[in-house]
Amino acid sequence: MYQPSHFAVTDPAALHQLMQAHPLGALVIQGEQGLDANHLPFEFDAGEGEHGVLRAHVARNNPLWQEVKEGQEVLVIFRAAEGYLSPNWYPSKQAHHQQVPTWNYAVVHAHGRIRVRDDARFVRRLLATLTRTHEAAEPRPWKMADAPRDYLEAMVAAVVGIEIEIDRLVGKFKLSQNKEATDRQGAIDALQAKGQIDLAEAMQDPPSSVSR
């Protein structure tokens, strides 16, 4: 990924926060038919391994788990708020017209090595963790125990777990850090007016480009 220094973010806390806030990652592998991508909700465990571990599950009918080799290098892409920026939003454009359209976004690339976990116990624990995390905001959180036991066992048997030990994280937060403060604020105001609040808020206080 192209990394201009003013957009590069290496602070682990900022990278972890994006991954946890936007857990639907695109898992990219080199399969038997070439490059393949699967979009999966991941559990991120920052406390395991040097850079953390990602866990997810795929349908047993998905050929991914049979195509990957133990320890094969893979890439998972996590993406946060993104959006188009018009040159007309910059006050400086009115003065000298030296602005062009662009697109702002924040992404984290997790590079690591994959391991297949065709293990019902692993899958149950993973599903329980994902359920607790994503049901937490519901007024009456659904629990795995709410489902009939035989039905739940059939669902568990229909999926296969995967685990990725992360070797490195690469973060790029392109949030107009290279613009003058007045131009950046003009873009923020325009995004807010269009209802793109998440991107506008991210641009208000982008993370540092260096680790802390």
Side-chain angles (χ1 to χ4, degrees):
M1 177 168 61
Y2 174 54
Q3 279 283 70
S5 60
H6 41 270
F7 299 144
V9 174
T10 57
D11 178 10
L15 305 182
H16 296 175
Q17 193 279 330
L18 185 150
M19 295 162 66
Q20 291 168 327
H22 304 274
L24 185 69
L27 169 59
V28 182
I29 69 164
Q30 180 71 40
E32 294 178 2
Q33 305 300 319
L35 288 175
D36 186 26
N38 283 262
H39 302 267
L40 311 170
F42 282 90
E43 174 205 2
F44 173 58
D45 184 349
E48 188 169 334
E50 184 178 356
H51 301 286
V53 169
L54 292 167
R55 300 185 180 95
H57 61 282
V58 298
R60 188 168 292 278
N61 289 335
N62 187 331
L64 177 148
W65 69 276
Q66 294 176 310
E67 291 185 359
V68 294
K69 297 177 175 61
E70 190 81 2
Q72 179 177 329
E73 292 185 9
V74 297
L75 168 67
V76 184
I77 301 171
F78 297 92
R79 192 184 77 173
E82 48 82 20
Y84 172 80
L85 273 67
S86 170
N88 291 324
W89 299 348
Y90 303 130
S92 67
K93 184 263 184 186
Q94 315 309 323
H96 53 61
H97 301 282
Q98 295 179 5
Q99 295 288 356
V100 294
T102 193
W103 204 282
N104 274 6
Y105 55 89
V107 295
V108 172
H109 288 189
H111 298 259
R113 299 180 181 276
I114 194 168
R115 176 186 178 195
V116 174
R117 298 293 302 269
D118 191 8
D119 174 348
R121 187 174 181 180
F122 173 92
V123 170
R124 283 193 202 93
R125 189 208 65 80
L126 173 63
L127 295 177
T129 301
L130 290 172
T131 299
R132 284 195 299 271
T133 299
H134 299 296
E135 285 284 328
E138 295 296 318
R140 295 180 58 190
W142 181 88
K143 304 181 298 297
M144 290 176 68
D146 292 344
R149 185 178 180 84
D150 58 344
Y151 170 79
L152 190 61
E153 290 303 313
M155 293 295 100
V156 170
V159 299
V160 177
I162 59 172
E163 191 169 58
I164 299 168
E165 183 173 355
I166 299 173
D167 294 329
R168 60 191 175 101
L169 293 173
V170 181
K172 182 175 182 179
F173 291 52
K174 183 179 177 295
L175 300 170
S176 297
Q177 300 96 315
N178 58 331
K179 297 293 185 183
E180 296 294 333
T182 53
D183 284 340
R184 187 167 60 251
Q185 189 59 52
I188 290 169
D189 293 343
L191 287 168
Q192 289 175 330
K194 290 168 64 70
Q196 294 180 262
I197 305 302
D198 288 348
L199 181 56
E201 290 181 349
M203 289 171 58
Q204 287 277 14
D205 186 25
S208 170
S209 61
V210 297
S211 58
R212 292 195 290 268

